[in-house]
Amino acid sequence: MAKLAAMWRQSVQEVFPDAGLREPVTASDIVEAERRLGRALPTDLEQLLLESNGVLGHAHVDTVWTIDQIVEQNLRFWSDETFAQLYMPFDALMFFGDNGGGDQFAFVQKPQRPDVFVWEHESDSRRWVANNLRDYLGRSLRVGGDDWYRQ
């Protein structure tokens, strides 16, 4: 497992050497997060968190949130009554990062798939931006700028 996790740190640094990497979470942190969320984290996200508790990209944008942010933000998106009145349901999504300007990145969990989608908060649109977490990190960290997915 350590070799798989080290692969994430190396992948991030190859694309963007100045990326902010944090201390890893523990397996018990993952178990607690999944308990609070009521669902499992995607495997790739779990492995990344076991190597670095989030990733800071260009301009210190939370390309991948900390495990605490993942739990707090998803619980908010899934239960906020105001959001329920303004937007389509979020229960099929697992948010894990943002662009620093309000748009959020997520995995679709119903049905479960590795692709990454962006939720654009101005239009409530949800669209595909990457094949998987590795592709997302490569695209977002390589290009830079908070609107890399619009290019």
Side-chain angles (χ1 to χ4, degrees):
M1 179 81 112
K3 184 177 180 179
L4 284 175
M7 175 178 69
W8 287 105
R9 182 176 285 271
Q10 180 181 353
S11 294
V12 166
Q13 291 177 325
E14 283 175 2
V15 176
F16 182 49
D18 294 330
L21 298 168
R22 299 180 175 102
E23 291 297 312
V25 302
T26 65
S28 62
D29 294 330
I30 298 286
V31 169
E32 176 61 14
E34 291 177 336
R35 183 195 66 74
R36 289 184 61 205
L37 290 167
R39 60 178 80 169
L41 294 172
T43 302
D44 284 349
L45 181 58
E46 178 182 331
Q47 290 175 349
L48 174 73
L49 293 169
L50 288 168
E51 178 62 17
S52 176
N53 189 13
V55 175
L56 289 172
H58 298 275
H60 300 286
V61 168
D62 286 312
T63 304
V64 177
W65 295 331
T66 66
I67 197 165
D68 290 337
Q69 287 173 290
I70 291 168
V71 171
E72 291 165 16
Q73 292 298 326
N74 280 288
L75 291 176
R76 186 175 129 238
F77 273 92
W78 298 337
S79 64
D80 189 298
E81 291 298 321
T82 304
F83 285 179
Q85 293 172 10
L86 294 173
Y87 306 117
M88 292 183 288
F90 294 112
D91 61 328
L93 301 175
M94 169 75 68
F95 292 102
F96 67 88
D98 64 71
N99 75 333
D103 294 341
Q104 317 288 317
F105 298 97
F107 294 101
V108 173
Q109 292 206 301
K110 297 176 186 176
Q112 193 167 21
R113 51 192 290 182
D115 306 79
V116 175
F117 288 76
V118 63
W119 170 65
E120 294 178 284
H121 70 286
E122 296 96 350
S123 63
D124 193 25
S125 67
R126 296 116 195 263
R127 64 183 175 81
W128 180 94
V129 294
N131 293 317
N132 52 42
L133 184 58
R134 182 173 311 286
D135 186 32
Y136 163 78
L137 290 169
R139 291 171 188 251
S140 63
L141 295 175
R142 184 175 299 113
V143 175
D146 64 357
D147 64 350
W148 60 269
Y149 51 92
R150 294 181 181 158
Q151 298 172 3

